[in-house]
Amino acid sequence: MYTWGLVLATCLMPCAGIGIGIFLMGKGSRMEKEPAQGAVSGAVLARIGRLAAAAGAAAAVVTVAVLLLTLHLVRPWRVGAAVAVVTVQYMVTMAVVIAASRMLRKK
C-alpha cells in the first residue's frame, strides 16, 4: 500500500495544474467581457488556462493509472515508479510553461 505522503506528492502537481487552468480560463473569460488595460488579452489567458487544465487532467489520469498498476509491486519499485511519475509531471509542467511563454510573446 502507498503512504499518504507518496500519494500527495504525486497528485499535487496535476491538481494544481487543473486549478490554475480553471482560474486562468475564468479570468480570461471575464477579461473578454470587460476589456481592461493589461498586457495580456483575455483570449490568450483562456487558451493558456485550457492548456494547463488539459495537461493537469492528463497528468492526473496517468498518475492514478501508474499508482494503481504498481500497487502490488515491492516498495522500492513503487517508490521508483512514483519518482518517474513526478519526473514526467515536471517535464509536462515545463512544456506547458514554455508553450504559455510563447503564446504571451506572440500577442
Side-chain angles (χ1 to χ4, degrees), residues 22-76:
I22 291 171
F23 171 75
L24 288 175
M25 283 190 288
K27 188 164 183 73
S29 67
R30 279 194 311 270
M31 286 181 68
E32 286 177 355
K33 292 177 186 172
E34 305 169 1
Q37 296 176 354
V40 181
S41 69
V44 172
L45 279 180
R47 278 191 312 201
I48 292 171
R50 283 191 296 271
L51 177 66
V61 168
V62 169
T63 300
V64 169
V66 168
L67 289 178
L68 288 176
L69 289 174
T70 60
L71 190 60
H72 296 294
L73 296 177
V74 293
R75 185 180 174 112

Side-chain angles (χ1 to χ4, degrees), residues 54-97:
V61 168
V62 169
T63 300
V64 169
V66 168
L67 289 178
L68 288 176
L69 289 174
T70 60
L71 190 60
H72 296 294
L73 296 177
V74 293
R75 185 180 174 112
W77 285 100
R78 285 190 310 223
V79 172
V83 168
V85 165
V86 170
T87 302
V88 170
Q89 288 173 353
Y90 275 111
M91 291 177 1
V92 169
T93 302
M94 290 310 297
V96 168
V97 168

